[in-house]
Amino acid sequence: MALDQSFVGRAYPPTEPYEVGREKIREFAEAVGDANPAYTDTEAARALGHPDVIAPPTFVFAITFKAAGQVVADPQLGLDYSRVVHGDQKFAYNRPVRAGDRLTVTSTIETIRTMAGNDILDIRGEVHDQNGEHVVTAWTKLVARAAEEA
């Protein structure tokens, strides 16, 4: 069953703040195999003009994807998450994520469409820091595969 188009534009409440720690950034950089010293060495980050270590660009995915869970779990939307695959991800940064940031995410359903029986849902996550500064916008595309014919 196609998702309800009236949900386009619906925004969900901001998440609780996520405090970005140096150790989490280091672990993430190691996990993705990125040896950029700005991710692990405060002095290297400062030499590049940052006040502390910064996070790799895809670090924010974990925060924004968790926030998109509010959309996924909305019983009124009726999304069958057992049929969902992650279709795409993109980011537009105003500045890098830094150690010490306390980030909140506000998720909004940007588009809903149906293609070949599959529901395609685009969720925009606006990420702000503890001062209300916009840090990054993340777009997550989820594809709910069509149910198999019996």
Side-chain angles (χ1 to χ4, degrees), residues 10-72:
R10 181 175 287 195
Y12 292 79
T15 60
E16 289 296 315
Y18 174 90
E19 187 161 346
V20 179
R22 285 187 191 108
E23 187 63 14
K24 285 289 186 186
I25 292 172
R26 183 192 63 75
E27 290 170 350
F28 186 87
E30 286 179 1
V32 298
D34 195 330
N36 184 332
Y39 304 151
T40 57
D41 182 336
T42 303
E43 292 309 313
R46 287 186 179 143
L48 295 171
H50 304 291
D52 206 330
V53 295
I54 59 172
T58 55
F59 178 87
V60 77
F61 171 77
I63 304 164
T64 58
F65 193 73
K66 183 176 181 182
Q70 293 179 71
V71 177
V72 169

Side-chain angles (χ1 to χ4, degrees), residues 114-118 146:
T114 302
M115 187 179 305
N118 300 309

Side-chain angles (χ1 to χ4, degrees), residues 92-143:
Y93 276 86
N94 284 335
R95 69 159 175 84
V97 170
R98 303 177 208 145
D101 278 341
R102 291 178 47 82
L103 303 176
T104 58
V105 182
T106 302
S107 295
T108 301
I109 297 175
E110 201 161 73
T111 63
I112 296 173
R113 62 187 187 282
T114 302
M115 187 179 305
N118 300 309
D119 286 323
I120 302 168
L121 179 68
D122 291 301
I123 303 167
R124 184 181 73 246
E126 299 289 347
V127 181
H128 292 85
D129 69 10
Q130 63 277 6
N131 300 315
E133 179 185 351
H134 181 256
V135 177
V136 59
T137 300
W139 289 270
T140 302
K141 184 180 300 293
L142 301 177
V143 180

